[in-house]
Amino acid sequence: EVQLVESGGGLVQPGGSLRLSCAASGFTFNSYWMHWVRQTPGKGLVWVSRINSDGSSTSYADSVKGRFTISRDNAKNTLYLQMNSLRVEDTAVYYCARGRDGYNKVIDVWGQGTTVTVSS
Amino acid sequence: DIQMTQSPSTLSASVGDRVTITCRASQSISDWLAWYQQKPGKAPKLLIYKASSLESGVPSRFSGSGSGTEFTLTISSLQPDDFATYYCQQYNSYGTFGGGTKVEIK
């Protein structure tokens, strides 16, 4: 079974840092692009970042550029999101997601999400 | 940045109704558009990609059309399992989502 399991969410003060992890299983992780998408409670979806299959290329939404870093460890089948200089508006559920085979920027598998709360 | 505008934001319908949701892009995105369904407390589910390609396992009552800046998602005969929120997403440049359309029971 294809599965993505996020961890690392929690409560952090403004200006703080947090690292999210996403453990992948049930598919050949090193063949797929991966994404992070967030969702504010009661609000819509916001694409955050993506990384290609070998980790050599990354992209970020303007709202997180320079503060967040996406990375992956293909030997460990794990995706990461390092979040620095966190702001109250970064509070959201963060989803790890897989890019669809052949259409890498389309998301075909999602994790269950991990909640990040930025508050003093 | 490309902005995606969905309409309506809420739609009330009955089982068996034909439902159409519109998504407009602020600039041309060719057919680089996907549609997702999300139910409360759950992650989204991919329905349509490349504007009109049905994802494997998705019922054929779902269809997508459009290109350029205007797109539609149609549910030909609404079923009880279809009451949910639907999002479009452009992937021509990064991956902007629309604001969502909640399909509720009339």
Side-chain angles (χ1 to χ4, degrees), chain A residues 39 43-45 47 50 59-60 62 65 95 100 103 105-108 110-111, chain B residues 1 32 34 36 38 42-44 46 49-50 55 87 89 91-92 94-95 97:
Chain A
Q39 185 168 32
K43 297 295 176 92
L45 298 162
W47 174 82
R50 66 171 173 248
S59 296
Y60 299 91
D62 287 345
K65 202 172 293 183
Y95 291 103
R100 191 186 184 282
Y103 292 89
K105 300 176 184 178
V106 176
I107 294 170
D108 69 342
W110 300 69
Chain B
D1 287 3
W32 302 120
Y36 301 86
Q38 188 179 33
K42 300 292 187 182
L46 176 64
Y49 62 96
K50 210 168 185 297
E55 176 68 345
Y87 294 92
Q89 183 203 20
Y91 52 97
N92 179 70
Y94 300 124
F97 288 89

Side-chain angles (χ1 to χ4, degrees), chain A residues 69-82:
Chain A
T69 303
I70 190 172
S71 62
R72 65 192 297 161
D73 185 336
N74 284 344
K76 295 183 177 179
N77 289 347
T78 302
L79 176 73
Y80 302 100
L81 185 68
Q82 177 67 44

Side-chain angles (χ1 to χ4, degrees), chain B:
Chain B
D1 287 3
I2 299 175
Q3 308 301 319
M4 304 301 292
T5 303
Q6 280 184 244
S7 61
S9 55
T10 306
L11 186 159
S12 297
S14 301
V15 172
D17 284 354
R18 181 181 181 87
V19 166
T20 299
I21 298 168
T22 298
C23 181
R24 288 186 174 88
S26 60
Q27 64 189 74
S28 178
I29 58 169
S30 184
D31 58 358
W32 302 120
L33 185 100
W35 290 97
Y36 301 86
Q37 176 195 67
Q38 188 179 33
K39 296 181 179 179
K42 300 292 187 182
K45 172 188 174 183
L46 176 64
L47 300 175
I48 302 279
Y49 62 96
K50 210 168 185 297
S52 61
S53 295
L54 192 68
E55 176 68 345
S56 176
V58 174
S60 58
R61 63 181 180 272
F62 291 93
S63 64
S65 65
S67 67
T69 61
E70 188 152 338
F71 303 85
T72 59
L73 173 71
T74 299
I75 309 172
S76 60
S77 177
L78 196 66
Q79 298 302 300
D81 191 49
D82 301 338
F83 291 98
T85 300
Y86 294 84
Y87 294 92
C88 63
Q89 183 203 20
Q90 68 81 17
Y91 52 97
N92 179 70
S93 173
Y94 300 124
T96 319
F97 288 89
T101 296
K102 183 178 181 180
V103 177
E104 60 181 26
I105 300 172
K106 190 172 184 178

Side-chain angles (χ1 to χ4, degrees), chain A residues 14-98:
Chain A
S17 297
L18 212 55
R19 188 175 85 154
L20 306 183
S21 298
C22 170
S25 59
F27 65 100
T28 306
F29 181 70
N30 61 16
S31 295
Y32 288 84
W33 289 32
M34 297 297 294
H35 301 255
W36 288 99
V37 176
R38 68 187 183 187
Q39 185 168 32
T40 309
K43 297 295 176 92
L45 298 162
V46 176
W47 174 82
V48 172
S49 182
R50 66 171 173 248
I51 187 168
N52 69 347
S53 57
D54 67 8
S56 62
S57 176
T58 60
S59 296
Y60 299 91
D62 287 345
S63 58
V64 307
K65 202 172 293 183
R67 300 187 298 123
F68 289 12
T69 303
I70 190 172
S71 62
R72 65 192 297 161
D73 185 336
N74 284 344
K76 295 183 177 179
N77 289 347
T78 302
L79 176 73
Y80 302 100
L81 185 68
Q82 177 67 44
M83 304 186 295
N84 298 331
S85 303
L86 281 162
R87 305 168 180 168
V88 171
E89 55 265 35
D90 294 320
T91 295
V93 173
Y94 283 74
Y95 291 103
C96 164
R98 187 182 80 171

